[in-house]
Every structure is written in C-alpha cells, then in structure tokens.
Amino acid sequence: MVRAARPAQTPRPILTRLNEVLAKVVRAPEMRAQLEAQGYDARGASPDEFAAFIRRESEQYAKVVKLSGAKVD
C-alpha cells in the first residue's frame, strides 16, 4: 500500500510544479472571470509567499479568537 506524504513532507519539486500549473489555470481569462464573479481575488503566489500569508492570517485570527473568548466545546 502506498501512503501519501503529509503536506509538510511534499517534496519541493512537486510543490513548485503544482504552483506553476495552478498559477497558469488562475491566469486563464475564463477562470479569472469565474473566480472574480464569485468574489475571489485571483492572484498567484509562490509556495513561500502563500506559507507566509497563512502564518500571518493564523496569528491575526488567533488574537481575534482569544479576545472573543470563544471556546471549543
């Protein structure tokens, strides 16, 4: 049985190739129009830029959750 790697263990060349293909799809005029019609900001980012974005968002929303006093039941 072949087991899939966890996302953090995905080899860099595979991440790079996936990023290239997805960026090409997002840049296609038809796809861009579809995404924008749904309210998305269709712009690409490198894997490192996306990781930094996720870190910033996680930190920001962690503060919001803490300030709200929300708890997991």
Side-chain angles (χ1 to χ4, degrees):
M1 173 163 82
V2 176
R3 298 184 80 167
R6 292 181 300 172
Q9 296 173 329
T10 303
R12 187 63 142 178
I14 292 174
L15 290 176
T16 300
R17 180 68 179 135
L18 284 170
N19 182 260
E20 291 168 357
V21 171
L22 290 171
K24 184 176 180 180
V25 169
V26 168
R27 284 192 303 265
E30 310 83 36
M31 180 57 76
R32 180 174 288 276
Q34 288 273 340
L35 292 170
E36 289 175 355
Q38 296 176 40
Y40 290 100
D41 182 5
R43 61 182 138 141
S46 72
D48 291 333
E49 290 168 332
F50 184 64
F53 170 78
I54 294 298
R55 277 192 300 277
R56 286 191 309 272
E57 291 290 298
S58 295
E59 290 169 6
Q60 176 184 346
Y61 287 102
K63 290 175 188 174
V64 170
V65 170
K66 186 174 182 178
L67 287 171
S68 76
K71 303 284 182 204
V72 177
D73 290 334

